[in-house]
């Protein structure tokens, strides 16, 4: 059996990404901090600091569509913040196990999140986060973003299996959606570049829907 081809895509601001040395997988680091020079043979690309990790991920997909490896691992600059502080080695070992089992999508998080159309329950008004982004204290427009993406009524509840924005996805799942779908998603993010309306946060609750393999985007006739 041929070994699956894998690529890592990192959405980095000012985080220490030296953990990438723990893997032999090729990686592209999209740097939004402007202070990164080189990381051991990994590819560096610069992006403006807007739109959270969704801006990075959709930019990557659009620029490379339809040529992808068997699996793409999308990770934040510090993917361990939400994962009980497990090590990089454990994350990549977990990824290898899921790929060996032919998993099509997997979220790197120790929990699943159940929320309503407004992202509730959430901690967007956590005093410790006040001032970190313009959407602090507001609800998350999960239902609204869903409807703009899929052109059909939103469900009342969502179960997010990649709520930390860290996940792996098979090429076939990416290609289930046309390039225009991802271009539309990126436009939604560009319309809220500072996450004032929490559009970027909404995508963290929708990754499993975006990559669920369904071709059902438009409402039935």
């Amino acid at each position: 059996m041929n070994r699956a081809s894998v690529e890592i895509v990192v959405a980095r601001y000012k985080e220490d990404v030296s953990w990438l040395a723990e893997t032999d997988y090729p990686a592209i680091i999209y740097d939004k901090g402007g202070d990164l020079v080189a990381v051991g043979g990994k590819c560096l690309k610069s992006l403006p600091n807007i739109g959270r990790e969704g801006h990075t991920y959709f930019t990557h997909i659009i620029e490379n569509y339809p040529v992808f490896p068997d699996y793409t691992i999308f990770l934040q600059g510090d993917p361990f913040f939400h994962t009980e502080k497990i090590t990089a080695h454990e994350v990549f070992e977990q990824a290898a196990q899921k790929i060996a089992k032919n998993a099509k999508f997997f979220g790197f998080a120790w929990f699943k999140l159940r929320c309503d159309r407004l992202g509730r329950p959430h901690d967007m008004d956590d005093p410790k986060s006040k001032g970190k982004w313009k959407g602090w204290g507001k609800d998350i427009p999960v239902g609204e973003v869903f409807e703009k993406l899929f052109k059909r009524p939103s469900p009342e509840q969502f179960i997010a299996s990649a709520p930390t924005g860290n996940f792996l996805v098979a090429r076939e799942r990416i290609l289930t959606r046309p390039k225009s779908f991802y271009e539309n998603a990126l436009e939604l993010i560009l319309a809220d570049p500072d996450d004032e309306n929490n559009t970027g946060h909404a995508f963290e609750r929708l990754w499993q829907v975006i990559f669920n393999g369904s071709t059902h985007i438009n409402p039935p006739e």
Side-chain angles (χ1 to χ4, degrees):
M1 178 185 297
N2 293 329
R3 182 181 178 185
S5 58
V6 181
E7 182 176 61
I8 300 170
V9 170
V10 179
R12 190 252 180 194
Y13 176 49
K14 290 185 178 292
E15 301 89 354
D16 179 3
V17 291
S18 60
W19 48 267
L20 281 167
E22 295 287 333
T23 181
D24 293 329
Y25 292 146
I28 300 176
I29 305 167
Y30 288 91
D31 177 45
K32 295 185 175 183
D35 61 338
L36 194 62
V37 178
V39 179
K42 309 302 183 185
C43 179
L44 282 178
K45 294 187 177 184
S46 296
L47 286 177
N49 185 28
I50 58 174
R52 303 179 66 83
E53 73 274 3
H55 171 261
T56 301
Y57 297 170
F58 290 130
T59 296
H60 174 82
I61 290 172
I62 292 166
E63 290 184 350
N64 291 278
Y65 200 97
V67 181
F68 301 101
D70 296 325
Y71 285 90
T72 303
I73 300 175
F74 291 95
L75 297 173
Q76 295 184 354
D78 180 9
F80 318 111
F81 178 75
H82 297 291
T83 52
E84 296 280 88
K85 294 297 181 181
I86 64 175
T87 67
H89 174 79
E90 290 169 324
V91 167
F92 295 129
E93 182 64 25
Q94 192 175 36
Q97 292 172 1
K98 294 299 179 181
I99 291 170
K101 293 180 179 179
N102 201 33
K104 303 304 180 184
F105 180 87
F106 178 74
F108 296 103
W110 57 272
F111 63 97
K112 290 185 179 181
L113 187 152
R114 182 188 295 272
C115 69
D116 65 10
R117 290 170 46 90
L118 293 176
R120 301 172 181 171
H122 58 66
D123 59 356
M124 304 299 279
D125 57 354
D126 185 344
K128 293 182 293 185
S129 299
K130 189 173 183 178
K132 289 187 177 181
W133 80 98
K134 292 185 178 181
W136 182 89
K138 299 179 181 179
D139 285 323
I140 306 170
V142 183
E144 178 184 344
V145 171
F146 176 95
E147 291 178 351
K148 289 179 178 178
L149 280 175
F150 296 100
K151 317 300 184 193
R152 59 186 174 96
S154 166
E156 292 300 318
Q157 285 197 327
F158 297 84
I159 299 178
S161 59
T164 66
N166 301 293
F167 55 89
L168 67 80
V169 60
R171 175 178 56 212
E172 64 197 72
R173 288 290 181 86
I174 299 176
L175 296 179
T176 297
R177 311 286 184 207
K179 185 178 181 180
S180 59
F181 174 90
Y182 300 110
E183 290 171 336
N184 179 48
L186 182 59
E187 285 301 318
L188 295 179
I189 288 177
L190 291 176
D192 187 20
D194 298 320
D195 213 26
E196 185 172 357
N197 297 318
N198 290 324
T199 303
H201 281 87
F203 277 100
E204 290 186 344
R205 287 152 172 79
L206 292 172
W207 293 121
Q208 75 287 341
V209 181
I210 290 169
F211 297 114
N212 68 4
S214 172
T215 57
H216 182 68
I217 297 177
N218 296 316
E221 295 295 335

